[in-house]
């Protein structure tokens, strides 16, 4: 396993172990990407060759081929793509939350380590420099009193005990520097990882929409562009799958035994009892700093008693010593405050909580997000493989669609048929169907006045009749529109009645 490689060098720094882990992860990434992508490309190549041969052998029947299979395949691929993007969004958010929880926990632990170093160095500075200056001046003032000089010497011994005990507290400077670098690099990589996946989600959605649009419009250019971009998206899907798998394997190995991993990489920098104290934080286990802190507190209490005695008995005899004694008392009060803060920071509960929060972020949220991202990569690879497979069928469908329209000349909804009807030459005006005359004997003929006949409705009707495959007929033409004759005057009867 990847983190197990770090066990070979127990005293290697954290940075070297992380570099080795990254190298192994990259090798694993390349192996998974090469195998998966190779198998996928071999399958696609074999399928496309079979489909092309089948299309050539059945070229006569493809003219009447029903495109429902291509349409439903495109719909299914679009639905799978949308589901993949939804899963990917959730996984990306979970992984991002886990990583930033890890960063937040490392920042808190780093702040604690830095605070311990500041308190230890500050207290040591006070005991070595400031207290020594005040004791040197008091030694000059109490030069004639041996008992007071003995008291100052005893206080100096107590300060030395405090310095010795503080020297046993681990120095976290190197750990702090490595944690700071790790936090900065992790935040930098996580930001660009999150952004890259976001752009990949958008790319997949855009390609699916363009594929549906190309099928709807039967655009060869759009389909060719989508297929080329689909090959690129397929490569990116396998690459992201390899990256997610490598990260999930490395994270899973670390989460299987995080305590052992941390004990091994910190063995050369910290005492084992100190590391175990913070990793397990058992109530029954005693703190490795308990003895040092107890001696520190007792020494301060003893020095407080000595300073109080000198203020009570020596100041009336030596008034000039009051200023230095008060300064020593303030220094001891400040050191006692630092002691309480140091005890709180060295307690295992704070750092153990940060440790558990970091494990929760990386081993639960982070690992869950990586698994969902791996599922997204698989679904995306399946989607674009399906799109590439249906490419030849969609291309053939687009090529035969125009010829199918040309063969349907009797379809009234065919645009080309409407174009043919529109180019018919206009017909001339229609004459009257009969002449009108009547009369008896010497009666003059009644000739109706000449009428101007408009044949606009007739022409429209004839065009419509011709369009729908019939012959121009006039039975159903309105009478007014076709110029019907006026009613004839009735003939008189033999008796002269009308």
């Amino acid at each position: 396993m990847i983190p197990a490689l770090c066990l070979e060098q127990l005293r290697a720094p954290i940075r070297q172990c992380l570099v080795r882990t990254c190298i192994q992860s990259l090798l694993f990434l390349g192996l998974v990407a090469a195998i998966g992508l190779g198998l996928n490309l071999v399958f696609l190549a074999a399928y496309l060759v079979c489909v092309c041969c089948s299309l050539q052998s059945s070229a006569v029947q493809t003219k009447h081929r029903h495109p429902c299979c291509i349409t439903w395949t495109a719909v299914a691929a679009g639905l799978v793509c949308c589901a993949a993007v939804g899963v990917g969004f959730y996984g990306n958010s979970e992984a991002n939350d886990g990583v930033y929880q890890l960063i937040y926990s490392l920042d808190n632990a780093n702040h604690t380590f830095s605070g311990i170093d500041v308190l230890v160095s500050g207290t040591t500075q006070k005991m070595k420099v400031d207290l020594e200056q005040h004791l040197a001046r008091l030694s000059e003032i109490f030069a004639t009193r041996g008992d007071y000089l003995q008291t100052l010497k005893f206080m100096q011994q107590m300060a030395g005990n405090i310095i010795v005990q503080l020297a046993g507290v681990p120095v976290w400077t190197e750990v702090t520097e490595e944690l700071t670098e790790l936090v900065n690099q992790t935040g930098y990589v996580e930001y660009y990882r999150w952004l890259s996946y976001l752009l990949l989600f958008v790319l997949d959605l855009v390609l699916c929409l363009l594929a549906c649009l190309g099928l709807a419009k039967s655009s060869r250019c759009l389909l060719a562009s989508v297929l080329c971009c689909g090959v690129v998206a397929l490569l990116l899907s396998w690459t992201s799958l390899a990256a997610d798998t490598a990260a999930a394997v490395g994270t899973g190995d670390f989460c299987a035994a995080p305590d052992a991993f941390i004990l091994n990489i910190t063995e050369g920098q910290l005492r084992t009892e100190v590391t175990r104290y913070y990793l397990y934080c058992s109530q029954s286990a005693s703190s490795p700093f308990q003895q040092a802190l107890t001696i520190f507190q007792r020494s301060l209490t003893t020095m407080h008693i000595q300073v109080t005695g000198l203020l009570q008995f020596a100041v009336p005899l030596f008034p000039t010593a009051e200023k230095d004694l008060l300064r020593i008392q303030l220094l001891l009060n400040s050191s006692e405050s630092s002691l309480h803060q140091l005890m709180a920071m060295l307690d295992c509960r704070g750092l153990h909580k940060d440790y558990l929060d970091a494990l929760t972020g990386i081993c639960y949220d982070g690992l869950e997000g990586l698994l969902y991202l791996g599922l997204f990569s698989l679904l995306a690879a399946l989607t674009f493989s399906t799109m590439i497979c249906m490419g030849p069928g969609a291309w053939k469908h687009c090529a035969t669609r125009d010829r199918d329209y040309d063969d349907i000349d009797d379809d009234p909804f065919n645009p080309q048929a409407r174009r043919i009807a529109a180019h018919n030459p206009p017909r001339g005006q229609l004459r009257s169907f009969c002449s009108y005359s009547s009369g008896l004997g010497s009666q003059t003929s009644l000739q109706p006045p000449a009428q101007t006949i408009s044949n606009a409705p007739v022409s429209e009707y004839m065009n419509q009749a011709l369009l729908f495959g019939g012959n121009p007929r006039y039975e159903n033409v309105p009478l007014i529109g076709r110029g019907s004759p006026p009613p004839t005057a009735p003939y008189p009867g033999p008796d002269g009645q009308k």
Side-chain angles (χ1 to χ4, degrees):
M1 308 306 276
I2 295 175
L5 299 174
C6 300
L7 303 180
E8 300 176 358
Q9 297 181 352
L10 298 179
R11 299 183 181 274
I14 298 178
R15 185 181 305 171
Q16 295 181 2
C17 184
L18 291 176
V19 169
R20 184 180 294 274
T21 303
C22 291
I23 292 175
Q24 297 299 326
S25 299
L26 290 175
L27 292 178
F28 186 79
L29 183 154
L31 179 63
V32 172
I35 295 177
L37 183 60
L39 293 176
N40 197 178
L41 292 179
V42 168
F43 170 76
L44 289 178
Y47 179 81
L48 292 177
V49 169
C50 294
V51 169
C52 291
C53 294
S54 176
L55 289 177
Q56 291 179 359
S57 62
S58 59
V60 178
Q61 298 179 359
T62 54
K63 177 178 179 181
H64 301 288
R65 184 178 178 181
H66 202 274
C68 288
C69 180
I70 298 175
T71 303
W72 284 109
T73 303
V75 171
L79 293 177
V80 173
C81 182
C82 294
V85 171
V87 171
F89 268 113
Y90 177 76
N92 197 31
S93 177
E94 286 293 313
N96 186 260
D97 292 342
V99 171
Y100 275 102
Q101 185 174 353
L102 170 66
I103 293 175
Y104 180 75
S105 301
L106 292 178
D107 279 333
N108 287 339
N110 204 9
H111 179 72
T112 302
F113 293 144
S114 302
I116 292 173
D117 289 339
V118 170
L119 289 175
V120 170
S121 61
T123 305
T124 304
Q125 179 72 16
K126 291 176 184 179
M127 295 298 166
K128 278 186 176 181
V129 179
D130 299 341
L131 183 61
E132 286 293 332
Q133 292 178 357
H134 294 299
L135 292 179
R137 286 195 293 268
L138 289 175
S139 297
E140 295 177 358
I141 296 174
F142 299 148
T144 57
R145 295 294 300 267
D147 53 348
Y148 294 158
L149 291 177
Q150 189 68 25
T151 302
L152 295 178
K153 186 177 181 181
F154 183 72
M155 291 174 61
Q156 191 173 7
Q157 291 177 356
M158 293 295 102
N161 290 336
I162 292 175
I163 293 173
V164 171
Q165 299 304 321
L166 289 178
V169 177
V171 179
W172 305 94
T173 305
E174 185 177 355
V175 176
T176 302
E177 292 177 355
E178 292 178 353
L179 285 180
T180 302
E181 184 178 359
L182 178 62
V183 166
N184 293 334
Q185 291 181 356
T186 304
Y188 178 82
V189 172
E190 173 59 22
Y191 172 75
Y192 285 101
R193 184 207 65 82
W194 176 83
L195 184 62
S196 300
Y197 271 102
L198 192 63
L199 295 177
L200 183 59
F201 299 153
V202 174
L203 175 63
D204 290 352
L205 285 178
V206 170
L207 288 180
C208 290
L209 292 176
L210 290 179
C212 294
L213 183 62
L215 288 175
K217 299 189 66 172
S218 299
S219 174
R220 281 189 170 188
C221 180
L222 195 56
L223 284 177
S225 302
V226 170
L227 290 178
C228 294
C229 295
V231 175
V232 176
L234 182 63
L235 296 176
L236 293 177
S237 299
W238 279 107
T239 302
S240 64
L241 177 62
D244 298 334
T245 306
V249 169
T251 304
D253 288 340
F254 169 76
C255 295
D259 299 337
F261 177 74
I262 294 176
L263 282 171
N264 287 320
I265 65 175
T266 58
E267 186 174 350
Q269 298 175 337
L270 296 174
R271 300 197 308 269
T272 304
E273 57 178 349
V274 175
T275 308
R276 290 182 178 274
Y277 172 68
Y278 288 116
L279 289 178
Y280 303 111
C281 194
S282 176
Q283 295 181 356
S284 60
S286 60
S287 172
F289 311 109
Q290 185 65 39
Q291 184 178 0
L293 295 176
T294 301
I295 295 175
F296 186 3
Q297 188 174 14
R298 290 177 180 176
S299 299
L300 286 178
T301 303
T302 304
M303 293 173 70
H304 270 296
I305 295 174
Q306 299 299 324
V307 171
T308 302
L310 289 175
L311 286 172
Q312 184 177 0
F313 297 105
V315 169
L317 300 177
F318 302 96
T320 57
E322 183 179 8
K323 181 179 179 181
D324 289 313
L325 290 174
L326 291 176
R327 294 287 181 83
I328 292 175
Q329 195 173 32
L330 291 175
L331 187 147
L332 294 177
N333 292 333
S334 175
S335 299
E336 188 173 4
S337 176
S338 299
L339 171 64
H340 292 303
Q341 295 180 18
L342 187 61
M343 291 176 64
M345 288 186 174
L346 289 174
D347 188 76
C348 67
R349 288 173 292 182
L351 289 174
H352 185 68
K353 182 181 180 301
D354 294 334
Y355 174 63
L356 293 181
D357 290 341
L359 288 182
T360 302
I362 194 66
C363 296
Y364 289 93
D365 295 337
L367 190 57
E368 181 185 4
L370 289 175
L371 293 178
Y372 277 106
L373 286 176
L375 179 60
F376 154 75
S377 301
L378 281 176
L379 293 177
L382 177 63
T383 299
F384 291 110
S385 298
T386 305
M387 290 174 58
I388 294 173
C389 288
M390 72 176 185
W395 187 272
K396 192 70 175 178
H397 172 66
C398 294
T400 59
R401 188 171 181 178
D402 291 337
R403 290 183 304 193
D404 292 341
Y405 275 121
D406 294 340
D407 294 338
I408 312 176
D409 294 337
D410 56 347
D411 188 0
F413 298 100
N414 188 4
Q416 191 165 354
R418 289 197 296 267
R419 289 196 298 268
I420 294 175
H423 288 291
N424 287 334
R427 298 178 177 269
Q429 294 183 350
L430 298 177
R431 296 181 177 273
S432 301
F433 294 108
C434 58
S435 60
Y436 313 108
S437 61
S438 63
L440 290 175
S442 62
Q443 290 181 343
T444 60
S445 298
L446 297 175
Q447 183 68 26
Q451 298 181 358
T452 302
I453 301 174
S454 175
N455 62 346
V458 179
S459 300
E460 181 180 357
Y461 173 78
M462 293 175 65
N463 289 334
Q464 292 178 358
L466 182 63
L467 178 63
F468 286 94
N471 296 322
R473 302 177 62 96
Y474 298 95
E475 286 80 3
N476 296 326
V477 179
L479 295 176
I480 298 176
R482 66 183 190 183
S484 298
T488 307
Y491 293 101
D495 53 357
Q497 294 181 354
K498 294 183 180 181

